[in-house]
């Protein structure tokens, strides 16, 4: 599933396309997208005749701002789900199979969402309403914002009895982190991924907050991680999969100490850790 760096790559790609011409047509396939209940009303037709503005990101969501024809500010939230891809084409280009959404601009270009598995989602409406309601309104802080650090992380997760890796995936605690980057950040911080979150000491939270920022930033610099489906706006794969140090590498040697990496499954999600660099703690608190 696209995580913060992949969604950020798509956001940058859309931004670079400099879409400024008004929307002349909103096209939607007959197929439902399977994202959660709060997305039921897509309300996409409100974007007609709107002028595209700033493209932002919040967690794993693209939030695109539009100037409405009546002076109102609208927004379009795009969730890429498992296999969603956003691209910019000319309107004359035939739609490929699994295209579910197209926004045609007055300059004859189209932004299209192609999503074979249809786990993605779309929602439009007044921007302030979108920002205040689910799924955007309940998201936790952005890990790449200036105020993010160990203290904030401890405040959000310090009481949790869940394994730290699982707790990090809670979007209401921290926005944008998914399994790949959580597993990588825990390795870089030397923290056993299955330790209960409340056992982490302030120094461990600070270290973890630092490595979360580092792995996300590296993911962005590498244009995202492509294990299977992810493509950027240009249709290219990311490069970060080559730089993953433990994720997907169970049974391989640890890149730091050469011990054999151990795979695990928790909360239905797999991961890997180094038994030497991330030892199972013997004391109550993890420093
Ligand atoms: Zn190691």
């Amino acid at each position: 599933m696209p995580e913060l760096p992949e969604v950020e790559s798509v956001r940058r790609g859309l931004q670079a396309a400099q879409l400024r011409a008004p929307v002349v047509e909103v096209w939607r396939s007959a197929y439902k997208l399977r994202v959660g209940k709060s997305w039921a009303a897509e309300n996409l037709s409100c974007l007609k005749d709107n002028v595209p503005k700033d493209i932002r990101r919040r967690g794993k969501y693209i939030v695109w701002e539009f100037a409405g024809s009546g002076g109102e500010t609208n927004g379009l939230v795009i969730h890429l789900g498992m296999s969603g891809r956003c691209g910019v084409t000319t309107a004359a280009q035939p739609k490929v199979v699994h295209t579910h959404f197209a926004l045609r601009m007055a300059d004859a270009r189209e932004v299209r969402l192609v999503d074979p598995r249809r786990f993605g989602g779309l929602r439009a409406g007044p921007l302030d309403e979108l920002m205040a309601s689910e799924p955007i309104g309940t998201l936790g802080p952005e890990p790449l914002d200036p105020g993010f650090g160990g203290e904030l992380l401890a405040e959000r997760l310090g009481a949790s009895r869940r394994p730290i890796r699982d707790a990090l995936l809670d979007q209401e605690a921290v926005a944008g982190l998914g399994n790949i980057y959580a597993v990588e950040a825990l390795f870089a911080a030397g923290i056993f991924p299955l330790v209960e979150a409340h056992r982490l000491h302030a120094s461990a939270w600070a270290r973890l907050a630092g490595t979360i920022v580092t792995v996300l930033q590296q993911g962005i610099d590498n244009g995202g991680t492509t294990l299977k489906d992810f493509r950027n706006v240009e249709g290219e794969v990311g490069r970060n999969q080559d730089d993953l140090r433990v994720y997907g590498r169970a049974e391989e040697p640890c890149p730091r100490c050469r011990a054999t990496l151990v795979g695990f499954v928790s909360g239905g999600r797999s991961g890997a850790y180094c038994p030497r660099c991330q030892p199972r703690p013997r004391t109550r608190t993890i420093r």
Side-chain angles (χ1 to χ4, degrees):
M1 181 192 264
E3 303 181 27
L4 189 156
E6 290 74 47
V7 179
E8 179 62 23
S9 299
V10 171
R11 186 198 72 80
R12 290 181 183 191
L14 288 174
Q15 188 93 297
Q18 305 206 346
L19 300 150
R20 309 252 191 273
V23 175
V24 290
E25 192 188 301
V26 182
W27 178 90
R28 179 74 175 80
S29 76
Y31 293 93
K32 266 196 165 159
L33 296 174
R34 294 171 181 147
V35 90
K37 278 203 291 289
S38 59
W39 295 72
E42 291 183 342
N43 195 27
L44 300 170
S45 56
C46 75
L47 298 174
K48 188 154 186 301
D49 300 323
N50 283 205
V51 178
K53 297 282 180 194
D54 222 23
I55 305 175
R56 292 184 263 164
R57 180 193 53 74
R58 184 73 176 93
K60 302 179 191 176
Y61 304 99
I62 288 164
V63 183
W64 193 352
E65 211 177 296
F66 288 83
S69 46
E72 76 280 18
T73 302
N74 287 323
L76 168 66
V77 177
I78 305 174
H79 178 42
L80 298 172
M82 302 289 282
S83 56
R85 291 176 193 174
C86 266
V88 181
T89 64
T90 59
Q93 199 120 31
K95 291 183 179 72
V96 300
V97 66
H98 303 305
T99 302
H100 294 299
F101 172 65
L103 215 50
R104 183 180 297 193
M105 314 299 186
D107 62 1
R109 287 194 293 172
E110 277 190 15
V111 174
R112 294 179 184 173
L113 176 72
V114 177
D115 188 355
R117 298 176 69 184
R118 286 190 279 122
F119 284 108
L122 296 162
R123 200 178 166 206
L127 184 68
D128 48 2
E129 270 178 38
L130 288 178
M131 296 307 279
S133 58
E134 276 198 75
I136 305 289
T138 52
L139 290 175
E142 288 288 326
L144 297 182
D145 277 0
F148 183 76
E151 256 175 60
L152 184 57
L153 206 50
E155 183 190 306
R156 312 290 299 191
L157 294 172
S160 175
R161 296 196 165 263
R162 300 170 68 198
I164 180 63
R165 195 290 311 265
D166 299 10
L168 287 173
L169 306 185
D170 178 357
Q171 298 301 298
E172 297 187 14
V174 195
L177 260 192
N179 193 24
I180 296 173
Y181 294 95
V183 165
E184 290 292 309
L186 286 163
F187 171 75
I191 296 170
F192 181 59
L194 299 176
V195 71
E196 290 178 11
H198 69 97
R199 293 178 61 191
L200 268 63
H201 183 265
S203 56
W205 285 118
R207 207 163 63 247
L208 181 56
T211 62
I212 286 172
V213 172
T214 307
V215 299
L216 290 174
Q217 197 56 59
Q218 177 200 286
I220 292 173
D221 295 345
N222 277 335
T225 300
T226 300
L227 295 178
K228 205 167 126 221
D229 292 311
F230 173 69
R231 301 288 185 280
N232 67 16
V233 170
E234 308 289 333
E236 304 156 343
V237 298
R239 298 178 309 277
N240 198 53
Q241 59 281 3
D242 302 331
D243 285 349
L244 296 178
R245 299 172 78 192
V246 288
Y247 184 86
R249 301 200 189 279
E251 307 305 322
E252 290 180 27
C254 169
R256 195 186 278 156
C257 75
R258 312 311 288 170
T260 302
L261 299 174
V262 177
F264 69 91
V265 178
S266 174
R269 315 289 305 271
S270 62
Y273 69 97
C274 171
R276 205 178 288 163
C277 300
Q278 301 164 272
R280 188 185 288 271
R282 297 221 172 83
T283 51
R284 257 190 67 75
T285 344
I286 318 305
R287 289 184 181 269

